[in-house]
């Protein structure tokens, strides 16, 4: 099957989960058929919010067999990547905007036998990613400014996905997956899938829904929202 037609993966962002009953929420998204658990790590410096660290990632790892991706919105991913791998992260995503030596940080993560991703903020141009193509398993395009869940999808990112997919295919990087993070709902999901995204990160669209299974089907586009099914 051509890569562009491959199945879409849904990554549930736990930022929107109910931390009073994390176990139940994790079991529920697993049952709903998500493919990945997305863990938003924030340090209060790279982004104006603080979330959680390796301790929580380790607990989540003990609660699920789903692959974990740690999205490090922190200034020093070079110092902390190893702790997240040891806590059970299967993929580490660092930000292009982090003020560290990016090539050596990617190399360090790879040496820990972990999948590697790089993320760019909505205003960062795609051209900066090209030198890293060969070192990455996935590219995460932020479709909101990082730091908070529940924001509105920034429309201009839709076209950015298309341009990145074209650039990757042009350079023989068909296996390099594009993930999109922020403001994903059934409507924006349809657009980003059409434009070449293969991993959709979603927090609010899943956890704020009364029916996680239906929410996931809406995101995949395997069930359409009708006038009576809107949450
Ligand atoms: C934002 C985070 C996102 C966010 C997604 O900094 O990286 O993963 O939690 O949340 P929603 O789906 O609510 O936009
Ligand atoms: Zn994220």
């Amino acid at each position: 099957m051509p890569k562009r037609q491959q199945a879409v993966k849904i990554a549930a962002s736990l930022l929107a989960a109910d931390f009073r009953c994390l176990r139940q929420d994790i079991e529920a998204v697993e049952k709903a058929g998500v493919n990945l658990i997305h863990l938003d790590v924030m340090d209060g410096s790279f982004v104006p919010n603080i979330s959680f660290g390796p301790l929580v990632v380790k607990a989540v790892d003990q609660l699920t067999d789903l692959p974990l991706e740690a999205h490090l919105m922190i200034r020093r991913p070079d110092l902390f990547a190893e702790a997240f791998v040891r806590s059970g992260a299967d993929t580490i995503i660092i930000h292009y905007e982090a003020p560290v030596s990016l090539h050596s940080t990617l190399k360090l993560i790879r040496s820990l036998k972990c999948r590697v991703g790089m993320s760019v903020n909505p205003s960062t141009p795609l051209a900066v990613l090209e030198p890293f193509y060969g070192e990455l398993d996935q590219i995460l395009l932020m479709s909101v400014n990082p730091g908070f869940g529940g924001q509105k999808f920034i429309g201009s990112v839709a076209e950015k996905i298309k341009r990145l997919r074209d650039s990757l295919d042009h350079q023989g990087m068909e296996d390099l997956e594009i993930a999109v993070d922020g403001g994903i709902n059934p409507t924006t999901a349809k657009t980003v899938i059409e434009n070449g995204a293969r991993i959709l990160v979603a927090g609010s669209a899943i956890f704020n829904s009364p029916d996680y299974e239906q929410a996931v089907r809406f995101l995949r586009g395997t069930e359409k929202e009708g006038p009576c099914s809107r949450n």
Side-chain angles (χ1 to χ4, degrees), residues 13 15-16 38 40 42 71 73 142 144-151 181-184 201-205:
S13 163
L15 207 54
H38 181 91
D40 289 303
M42 306 180 186
H71 176 193
M73 288 165 274
M142 290 306 299
V144 297
N145 286 309
F148 299 91
Q151 302 182 73
D181 186 3
I184 296 295
V201 179
S204 314

Side-chain angles (χ1 to χ4, degrees), residues 127-144:
V128 303
L129 290 168
E130 264 188 60
F132 300 97
Y133 283 178
E135 296 166 61
L136 302 173
D137 298 300
Q138 74 164 263
I139 292 173
L140 178 69
L141 294 183
M142 290 306 299
S143 40
V144 297

